Amino acid sequence: MHVRHLSLVDFRSYAVAELPLAPGVTTIMGLNGQGKTNLVEALGYVATLGSHRVATDQPLVRFGASQAVIRAVVVRHDRETLIELEITPGKANRAKIARSTVSRTRDVLGTLRTVLFAPEDLALVKGDPAGRRAFLDDLLVARQPRWAGVRQDYDRILKQRNALLKQSAAALRGAGGGAGGGPRGRSSGQRHQAEPDSSQASALHTLDVWNTHLADVGSQLLYARLRLLRDLTPLLAAAYEEVSASQATTTATYRASLSEPLSAAIAAGAVPEVEQVRAGLLDAFEEHRRAEVERGVSLVGPHRDDVQLALGPLPAKGYASHGEAWSLALGLKLAAYQLLRRDLGDDPVLVLDDVFAELDTERRERLAALVSDCEQVLVTAAVGADVPDRLRARGVTYMVTLGEVTRVD
Amino acid sequence: MYEGIVQDLIDELGRLPGIGPKSAQRIAFHLVQTDPADVARLSQILADVKDKIRFCDLCGNVAEAPRCRICGDSRRDSSAICVVEEPKDVAAVERTREFRGLYHVLGGAISPMDGIGPEDLRIRELLSRLADGGVTEVIIATDPNISGEATATYLTRTLAPLGLRVTRLASGLPVGVTWNTLMR
């Protein structure tokens, strides 16, 4: 698929912008702070209904305006679809597909698919585990929308369980402390001597219920992540090798917060059945109960897992050079691109935001070669010379100056 | 802001569930302009509700007597109990006219985030109703959301030792709806 036209009204720094696009490569050049990234951010918004830079909509609307509008004409298999989005901070956004208003904005999802690589993605390699988990989960949702619901259910159950751990800390501590426990009369505020015991039993029983539900949903999520990673790893290795021409083997190891031997098997690349994962989670809850009660948070489950990326024998985080980390992050995004392309039988739109400046000449050329068969690629760069000639020769170049977009030939 | 009693009325109406500031304002001015007799009737009903309405001693449903209409109806099948979260759920099941047994209203669902644990629900009352052995089937009809499901699991486990037939309402795709509207 590709985008034939992008137009913006009061979006970020643009009062009005019209950007005709075509298959092939579009290079967007401009000095810092002129609004290059804003253009690709708008495109990303049409695809994901979110920005890769900010969590709220307010900064997306031009200062002083109340509403931003993004219009994009998406072409897939020679069929054009016009998507219009009105972003009104503080209110529900509105969406139109082919000029008719859709009842739910999220109906727009799936019409345009993009894979965006931006400087922020360096955090996939160097940053916290949360970023890597989000990368996997977002990709799951992009492939199959139903995972959005599973993810949401998991977060809700987790919140309830954490609330329970905090609230019932006193009761659970007595229960988790093993047989004999502490002196029973300690809670002197209680009217009856027998009450601590029954509240222990009740708190344990309730915790058990939440354990079951967290394990039910958590095992599905974990299983899905493992299958995704199994599909993604060879693509990652290939993409990294092609970008970097390095002999170092890339590995992505899933670090599950489960107990041995299951987590060791998972780290070794095995994908256990959902039922096994579920049992593993339940065992791990039992094992960590004391620590969970002490700290009042859930310490086991997909929300505590990580994906360890490594180049050869060394973990990328901490050991990889800046260029290597950059290439690895790029490799992850390119692998995601390949996976979606395979699923869809169609090319997503590839967006490379400010990528080339960070790569050496050789890697630039390799990346240019790698993306040469993509249907549509959008590239932003501050310095035109950073973008390999062979890439710019495949399409048009725009220059952005103070929110004005002009074509350069 | 309006003066004195008008603003008080708007504030009070705005505290009701589902009524925002604008609706509260609209209702307030409607009342101001309405025939005094109509307002008097409304205020009388509001006062009566608190006086007369109580909760059924047996099932916890809203009632005007110690027993609600359903618990007091000898034609109902007293061997089956349908467990629901709120009185409004009783009305929902009744509308189907399929269930001829009795109800038990829990008064909510387990939700640690809202500070609601099993001991805050009418589970003890349910157990004492089941104690005499007259009930042979319990149908759990809590909402199919996170707290409702947790409550159902809790109940299923608590009731397991009693050897009753414990069932849940089916959930899934409704029959008679086209795939087109469901597959999202």
Side-chain angles (χ1 to χ4, degrees):
Chain A
M1 64 176 69
H2 67 272
V3 177
R4 190 175 62 70
H5 193 92
L6 178 70
S7 85
L8 307 176
V9 178
D10 289 329
F11 183 86
R12 288 272 191 188
S13 54
Y14 295 95
V16 184
E18 298 292 336
L19 188 67
L21 296 164
V25 181
T26 303
T27 310
I28 301 166
M29 291 202 310
L31 298 175
N32 292 332
Q34 303 295 307
K36 302 181 295 291
T37 299
N38 297 349
L39 293 173
V40 294
E41 184 183 26
L43 207 60
Y45 200 97
V46 176
T48 62
L49 294 177
S51 156
H52 68 285
R53 296 153 92 192
V54 288
T56 59
D57 285 343
Q58 186 66 55
L60 303 180
V61 178
R62 192 168 69 98
F63 189 76
S66 61
Q67 183 185 58
V69 181
I70 308 175
R71 287 190 188 86
V73 181
V74 181
V75 185
R76 188 178 180 200
H77 303 315
D78 295 325
R79 289 191 63 89
E80 291 200 351
T81 311
L82 171 67
I83 300 180
E84 296 170 275
L85 290 173
E86 290 175 17
I87 304 168
T88 319
K91 282 191 186 164
N93 293 346
R94 291 207 308 169
K96 285 184 190 173
I97 299 177
R99 304 227 176 262
S100 61
T101 308
V102 292
S103 52
R104 290 174 304 185
T105 325
R106 64 190 163 95
D107 289 347
V108 166
L109 296 174
T111 311
L112 173 65
R113 287 182 198 260
T114 61
V115 171
L116 181 145
F117 181 77
E120 287 85 351
D121 290 324
L122 192 58
L124 283 178
V125 179
K126 294 193 162 181
D128 294 332
R132 288 180 285 278
R133 289 193 296 264
F135 170 75
L136 286 184
D137 291 349
D138 287 344
L139 190 54
L140 276 180
V141 175
R143 295 181 80 189
Q144 289 170 307
R146 89 172 182 93
W147 290 105
V150 174
R151 197 179 173 184
Q152 198 177 33
D153 280 355
Y154 184 81
D155 289 343
R156 282 185 187 150
I157 297 171
L158 185 64
K159 271 190 192 151
Q160 292 278 23
R161 188 173 185 271
N162 285 340
L164 178 71
L165 284 172
K166 276 206 186 70
Q167 259 163 43
S168 314
L172 287 169
R173 206 165 285 153
R184 272 188 208 156
R186 211 189 327 182
S187 43
S188 50
Q190 305 273 8
R191 243 176 273 158
H192 304 290
Q193 192 77 352
E195 244 183 48
D197 255 351
S198 72
S199 71
Q200 269 176 24
S202 155
L204 272 178
H205 191 163
T206 318
L207 184 62
D208 239 26
V209 168
W210 290 107
N211 285 355
T212 312
H213 284 249
L214 198 64
D216 284 348
V217 181
S219 57
Q220 283 190 50
L221 185 61
L222 186 48
Y223 174 71
R225 280 189 192 165
L226 292 175
R227 282 209 322 190
L228 173 65
L229 200 62
R230 187 179 60 189
D231 291 350
L232 199 66
T233 310
L235 297 170
L236 168 66
Y240 183 80
E241 199 189 318
E242 283 184 63
V243 173
S244 67
S246 146
Q247 294 305 310
T249 35
T250 338
T251 46
T253 310
Y254 195 90
R255 298 280 175 213
S257 53
L258 298 169
S259 316
E260 305 298 344
L262 194 56
S263 66
I266 288 172
V271 179
E273 289 302 312
V274 183
E275 203 37 57
Q276 267 177 288
V277 178
R278 186 176 176 278
L281 279 168
L282 287 170
D283 287 347
F285 293 148
E286 284 302 319
E287 203 176 305
H288 291 80
R289 172 170 297 159
R290 185 193 285 261
E292 289 192 324
V293 170
E294 287 283 302
R295 295 175 52 184
V297 285
S298 301
L299 298 173
V300 194
H303 67 290
R304 300 285 288 200
D305 296 351
D306 193 7
V307 177
Q308 194 180 56
L309 300 165
L311 294 171
L314 297 175
K317 190 178 179 179
Y319 288 91
S321 75
H322 182 73
E324 283 172 337
W326 193 264
S327 305
L328 193 54
L330 183 60
L332 277 172
K333 284 300 174 98
L334 293 173
Y337 180 89
Q338 294 297 348
L339 200 60
L340 289 175
R341 168 191 251 183
R342 210 170 64 189
D343 283 0
L344 294 170
D346 186 20
D347 285 7
V349 175
L350 184 64
V351 180
L352 301 172
D353 184 17
D354 242 344
V355 173
F356 287 95
E358 301 282 342
L359 297 174
D360 59 36
T361 328
E362 197 177 319
R363 289 185 185 205
R364 284 177 195 170
E365 289 297 336
R366 292 179 155 277
L367 177 58
L370 193 58
V371 304
S372 61
D373 71 332
C374 301
E375 183 173 341
Q376 186 173 43
V377 186
L378 268 70
V379 177
T380 76
V383 181
D386 285 350
V387 183
D389 289 340
R390 60 187 286 187
L391 206 56
R392 284 175 61 186
R394 273 192 65 216
V396 294
T397 302
Y398 288 99
M399 180 66 107
V400 179
T401 318
L402 283 172
E404 290 286 323
V405 187
T406 42
R407 187 170 166 168
V408 189
D409 284 308
Chain B
M1 289 293 277
Y2 297 92
E3 280 176 31
I5 194 161
V6 177
Q7 186 61 43
D8 290 347
L9 179 59
I10 293 172
D11 290 347
E12 285 304 315
L13 289 169
R15 285 168 53 184
L16 299 174
I19 306 223
K22 280 200 176 134
S23 301
Q25 187 178 316
R26 197 161 74 231
I27 298 169
F29 281 105
H30 173 78
L31 291 174
V32 168
Q33 287 162 8
T34 302
D35 186 34
D38 288 344
V39 180
R41 202 169 52 242
L42 178 63
S43 75
Q44 187 57 47
I45 288 171
L46 288 176
D48 285 356
V49 155
K50 279 322 243 185
D51 274 353
K52 290 186 185 162
I53 288 294
R54 47 178 300 163
F55 293 96
C56 172
D57 292 342
L58 210 55
C59 73
N61 193 11
V62 287
E64 290 184 42
R67 287 282 160 91
C68 72
R69 187 182 49 78
I70 296 169
C71 289
D73 185 343
S74 59
R75 289 167 301 174
R76 306 284 298 211
D77 174 6
S78 62
S79 70
I81 289 185
C82 176
V83 181
V84 295
E85 292 181 19
E86 305 284 354
K88 66 178 166 54
D89 302 325
V90 172
V93 180
E94 280 296 281
R95 274 198 297 274
T96 67
R97 300 183 191 189
E98 292 288 340
F99 181 66
R100 299 301 300 159
L102 303 176
Y103 292 90
H104 191 83
V105 181
L106 293 171
I110 298 176
S111 174
M113 285 169 76
D114 303 308
I116 301 174
E119 58 286 350
D120 301 309
L121 304 175
R122 299 181 67 256
I123 292 175
R124 208 173 297 122
E125 288 85 339
L126 175 64
L127 292 173
S128 62
R129 280 181 82 182
L130 301 177
D132 69 0
V135 177
T136 53
E137 179 173 11
V138 174
I139 300 156
I140 302 175
T142 51
D143 286 338
N145 54 25
I146 304 283
S147 342
E149 293 288 332
T151 311
T153 309
Y154 183 91
L155 284 176
T156 310
R157 290 185 184 180
T158 311
L159 302 184
L162 302 181
L164 301 167
R165 192 176 135 87
V166 178
T167 53
R168 305 237 16 223
L169 290 192
S171 65
L173 301 176
V175 171
V177 178
T178 58
W179 292 109
N180 186 33
T181 51
L182 283 169
M183 290 290 119
R184 302 260 178 207

